[in-house]
Amino acid sequence: MKQARPAKKQSPQHPSKKSPAQFLPITSAEARARGWNELDVIFVSGDAYVDHPSFGVPLLARLLEAKGLRVGIIPQPDWRSKEPFMALGRPRLFFAVAAGAMDSMVAHYTPARKLRRDDAYTPGNRHGARPNRATIIYTSRLKEAYRDTPVVIGGIEASLRRFAHYDFWEDKVRRSALFDAKADLLIYGMGENPLLELVERLQKGEPFASIRDIRGTACAASAIPETAGEVVELPSYEKVAADKAAYGESFRLLSREQNPGCAKVVIQQHATRYLVCNPPAWPLSGADLDAIYALPFVKAPHPSYKEAIPAYEQIRNSITTHRGCFGGCAFCAITHHQGKTIQSRSEQGVLNELEQLASLPWFRGSVSDLGGPTANMFGLCCGDKEAGDKCRRDSCLFPKICKNLVTDDAASSRLLAKARRVSGVKHVAVSSGVRYDLMERQPRYLRELVSQHVSGLLKVAPEHLTDRVTSVMRKPGHDCFERFRDAFQKESAKAGKRQYIVPYFISGHPGCTLSDMVDLALMLKRWGMRVEQVQDFTPTPGTLSTCIYHTGIDPFTGEKVYVARSDREKGLQKALLLYHVPEERKNCLTALRECGREDAAAELFGGNNRR
């Protein structure tokens, strides 16, 4: 089918103005244009309004719209007064608040706690469109404007801060975000099912205050509910704030209650009240996901924006194939937010969205990504449902691949092959990360990926390669990476392509010393690999790595773990992987001297580096 083109050049961020899809209202005038004098639910978001399924708030808003509700969005309101929060009036049911696609503190500050100067989710990439701790501030303003209207908080910021948690930016343990925000309900994880159940019960006349048992939600209570059944009680906020051992115990107990099949109600006392957290929501089916991604998204930013939104530019031509990740990396929040169960769309559902993307007037034939949190987990599952419903492992891959894990790559490799044949699609890239330890069991996917879906460079994230550090990270070690590197080179040669691996690494992670970084730098030097960017570890709420950073102890083994805490040491660790950069040589030499590894200088700095 010949691809249609616009008669004249369009804005780089907007499809044809005659697009059949209609944006959700962000002003009262837009609401009235739809004939709506009152909205049922109003979302408040720390991100600009991009009507694309990769953005959580628009996705949930579209889902409620599809159920017949009148929904509006207040994107990035000026939090300095209550008036911007009154732009759409008082909702009939409730306000729904999210800080955005990122925790607002992560969005605002570098790992060195320095203020960032950009924000990819804001027009013009400008910093300052949302406040610090946006969930708390937004809720406060809404309560100031409409004291008696319920406020539901959600998104990754609220989700990962739902219990007492260590906050890196203040270097202390903070209360649950539910208490600090004074919200009426917290939805954690992926919010579709909890939000739909909440709306359904409100529509039937159930009072908001009595709805306290929905899966995937947390609420405040003056006493432990009698209807909660068997509960897991964590050490109180006061205990975990004062005692690092209690904090580690709290994390260990909570980590066992993440499987919807066997999780119990988890409670944590905060002074005279209790946080009551219900078990996680059930995963969505493939049919449910297909229906969600088939909703009438415009797939563009709201037309009121006159500047580019970098986050949109990155995903505008991408397709999400699945949710969830069973990798269980210690530093990653995906498992804690999206869950360990892989929720895959149907092959036809993905292809239908590809066809729809190819029909848009601004599409030029290249799909920027076909994947999910981990691209090669599409279509995978636990092969023993009974065992899976009882499983309390944090990772299906670490310390070794679970015997019940189905690793067959037939579905993922077939999807790649069919995606290339969609009319109007010239090239399909896989930009999502891959687990190369899993790919050892997926030869067909590797062949498809290397021969057709890599444009010269494949980005992978081993994060580190010394076994002592990767064991803390819950990642595979250097032997596994070497096997993958060899397999990648072999498949590239078969395809007649000259291609390279671009590895990503983390410096300053718990368990990592200067000497470990020297060993890693020497490995890369011997393999002829350079890295251009190194991510300094940032302790973010809710992860195992953050727990270890705060306590200095692995909560599962009780063993002490070395933690680099000073900005100076973390900077030296980072410099060692950038030994080939002239500006970093002085820091490298300092690092080698401080860890007694001066002998490595000749090998690191002698001779020429290849890519």
Side-chain angles (χ1 to χ4, degrees):
M1 181 176 69
K2 188 174 181 180
Q3 191 171 317
R5 302 294 184 193
K8 58 182 180 180
K9 186 176 181 181
Q10 300 289 329
S11 164
Q13 288 226 343
H14 296 288
S16 167
K17 293 180 180 179
K18 295 182 180 180
S19 172
Q22 188 178 12
F23 286 95
L24 293 166
I26 67 172
T27 66
S28 58
E30 291 177 1
R32 288 194 300 271
R34 284 187 169 218
W36 297 348
N37 294 319
E38 179 188 49
L39 299 179
D40 298 309
V41 177
I42 297 173
F43 287 83
V44 178
S45 174
D47 294 337
Y49 173 28
V50 178
D51 199 59
H52 192 286
S54 292
F55 290 74
V57 164
L59 184 147
L60 293 172
R62 285 293 185 192
L63 179 62
L64 295 187
E65 179 196 36
K67 298 298 181 180
L69 274 76
R70 297 162 297 180
V71 185
I73 300 175
I74 303 177
Q76 298 188 318
D78 185 342
W79 67 93
R80 297 169 185 86
S81 68
K82 66 180 181 180
E83 282 71 25
F85 294 82
M86 304 170 73
L88 293 173
R90 184 195 300 267
R92 184 175 65 89
L93 298 179
F94 56 85
F95 284 103
V97 169
M102 295 176 64
D103 184 285
S104 58
M105 301 303 288
V106 177
H108 281 180
Y109 297 97
T110 70
R113 297 187 178 91
K114 294 181 179 179
L115 192 66
R116 298 186 190 275
R117 299 300 177 188
D118 55 5
D119 186 336
Y121 294 87
T122 299
N125 199 26
R126 281 191 299 275
H127 174 89
R130 77 187 89 206
N132 287 347
R133 310 192 189 284
T135 301
I136 297 173
I137 301 302
Y138 288 166
T139 305
S140 177
R141 284 289 180 252
L142 289 169
K143 288 296 186 180
E144 181 183 353
Y146 303 106
R147 181 173 299 277
D148 298 326
T149 301
V151 176
V152 180
I153 59 175
I156 197 163
E157 180 168 283
S159 180
L160 298 182
R161 294 176 180 267
R162 65 186 182 275
F163 293 95
H165 57 279
Y166 173 72
D167 185 88
F168 170 67
W169 297 271
E170 291 187 348
D171 191 26
K172 72 174 188 180
V173 176
R174 290 181 60 97
R175 300 191 305 170
S176 163
L178 182 70
F179 290 109
D180 280 346
K182 298 180 175 61
D184 298 275
L185 192 70
L186 184 153
I187 292 179
Y188 70 93
M190 308 307 284
E192 290 93 348
N193 280 337
L195 200 59
L196 287 176
E197 183 176 346
L198 175 62
V199 166
E200 181 181 357
R201 290 169 66 170
L202 290 172
Q203 296 277 53
K204 290 180 179 178
E206 192 170 346
F208 192 101
S210 70
I211 302 176
R212 292 292 181 262
D213 59 348
I214 298 177
R215 278 180 168 267
T217 67
C219 62
S222 57
I224 301 173
E226 295 181 0
T227 57
E230 185 180 359
V231 302
V232 173
E233 184 168 5
L234 307 181
S236 69
Y237 158 70
E238 288 75 18
K239 286 183 179 179
V240 299
D243 181 1
K244 291 182 178 180
Y247 188 96
E249 176 66 4
S250 178
F251 186 91
R252 187 188 68 80
L253 291 171
L254 179 59
S255 70
R256 292 177 51 82
E257 307 304 325
Q258 302 303 308
N259 183 346
C262 59
K264 302 180 181 69
V265 173
V266 179
I267 64 173
Q268 185 177 50
Q269 190 170 1
H270 285 61
T272 60
R273 294 190 296 167
Y274 291 87
L275 175 74
V276 180
C277 185
N278 296 305
W282 295 108
L284 296 177
S285 68
D288 289 337
L289 281 175
D290 284 345
I292 289 171
Y293 283 89
L295 293 172
F297 296 97
V298 182
K299 292 199 170 181
H302 190 273
S304 63
Y305 302 128
K306 306 305 178 186
E307 297 175 286
I309 301 172
Y312 168 68
E313 292 295 341
Q314 184 178 359
I315 56 85
R316 68 196 300 246
N317 292 330
S318 68
I319 302 289
T320 299
T321 60
H322 63 284
R323 290 181 181 175
C325 180
F326 50 68
C329 299
F331 49 82
C332 183
I334 292 174
T335 299
H336 297 276
H337 188 61
Q338 293 194 9
K340 192 173 72 169
T341 301
I342 304 302
Q343 303 157 69
S344 298
R345 300 170 60 184
S346 73
E347 178 183 281
Q348 191 56 53
V350 174
L351 295 176
N352 288 345
E353 188 178 355
L354 271 172
E355 292 174 356
Q356 191 268 340
L357 175 65
S359 71
L360 294 175
W362 43 261
F363 183 70
R364 294 296 181 264
S366 292
V367 177
S368 60
D369 186 28
L370 190 69
T374 305
N376 55 323
M377 290 185 184
F378 174 77
L380 305 190
C381 62
C382 180
D384 187 332
K385 187 179 186 307
E386 183 177 355
D389 285 344
K390 300 176 182 177
C391 179
R392 296 185 185 275
R393 283 183 59 164
D394 294 313
S395 170
C396 300
L397 302 180
F398 183 88
K400 61 181 180 180
I401 297 178
C402 177
K403 65 179 181 179
N404 294 323
L405 181 64
V406 175
T407 60
D408 183 70
D409 60 356
S412 56
S413 56
R414 184 175 61 244
L415 178 62
L416 289 179
K418 289 188 176 182
R420 297 195 301 270
R421 296 197 291 268
V422 171
S423 177
V425 172
K426 300 175 183 177
H427 176 70
V428 178
V430 175
S431 303
S432 299
V434 295
R435 281 291 297 228
Y436 50 84
D437 51 341
L438 180 61
M439 203 172 290
E440 288 186 300
R441 301 188 180 194
Q442 299 178 319
R444 287 173 294 187
Y445 185 86
L446 176 62
R447 191 172 305 117
E448 286 283 340
L449 179 70
V450 173
S451 64
Q452 301 290 338
H453 302 278
V454 176
S455 300
L457 302 175
L458 177 66
K459 298 175 183 178
V460 296
E463 313 299 1
H464 213 285
L465 291 173
T466 62
D467 293 344
R468 193 167 64 85
V469 179
T470 55
S471 66
V472 178
M473 292 179 163
R474 297 189 172 184
K475 294 280 286 188
H478 75 278
D479 287 344
C480 183
F481 182 77
E482 284 192 79
R483 292 194 299 271
F484 173 73
R485 181 201 60 179
D486 293 343
F488 176 84
Q489 292 174 344
K490 183 179 178 180
E491 290 296 338
S492 293
K494 283 183 180 179
K497 295 185 174 183
R498 189 176 181 181
Q499 301 183 138
Y500 302 93
I501 291 174
V502 179
Y504 283 74
F505 296 99
I506 294 177
S507 62
H509 189 276
C512 184
T513 65
L514 283 174
S515 188
D516 291 319
M517 294 304 280
V518 174
D519 290 336
L520 175 54
L522 289 172
M523 285 185 207
L524 297 177
K525 172 76 174 184
R526 292 162 188 165
W527 293 341
M529 287 185 173
R530 285 185 178 181
V531 296
E532 305 300 331
Q533 293 181 327
V534 181
Q535 175 64 50
D536 193 5
F537 170 68
T538 303
T540 54
T543 69
L544 171 59
S545 297
T546 298
C547 176
I548 296 175
Y549 177 90
H550 173 54
T551 65
I553 297 172
D554 184 321
F556 299 99
T557 66
E559 296 178 356
K560 291 185 177 180
V561 179
Y562 176 78
V563 176
R565 298 192 182 278
S566 71
D567 290 341
R568 180 179 181 276
E569 181 179 351
K570 289 190 284 186
L572 292 178
Q573 285 199 22
K574 188 173 184 178
L576 282 166
L577 291 195
L578 300 173
Y579 64 87
H580 51 85
V581 178
E583 293 79 9
E584 294 292 348
R585 178 166 294 197
K586 181 178 178 181
N587 288 332
C588 286
L589 292 171
T590 299
L592 292 173
R593 185 167 56 252
E594 291 196 5
C595 66
R597 299 290 300 274
E598 292 98 330
D599 58 304
E603 184 174 353
L604 284 177
F605 302 123
N608 295 321
N609 293 316
R610 295 169 293 160
R611 187 171 192 91

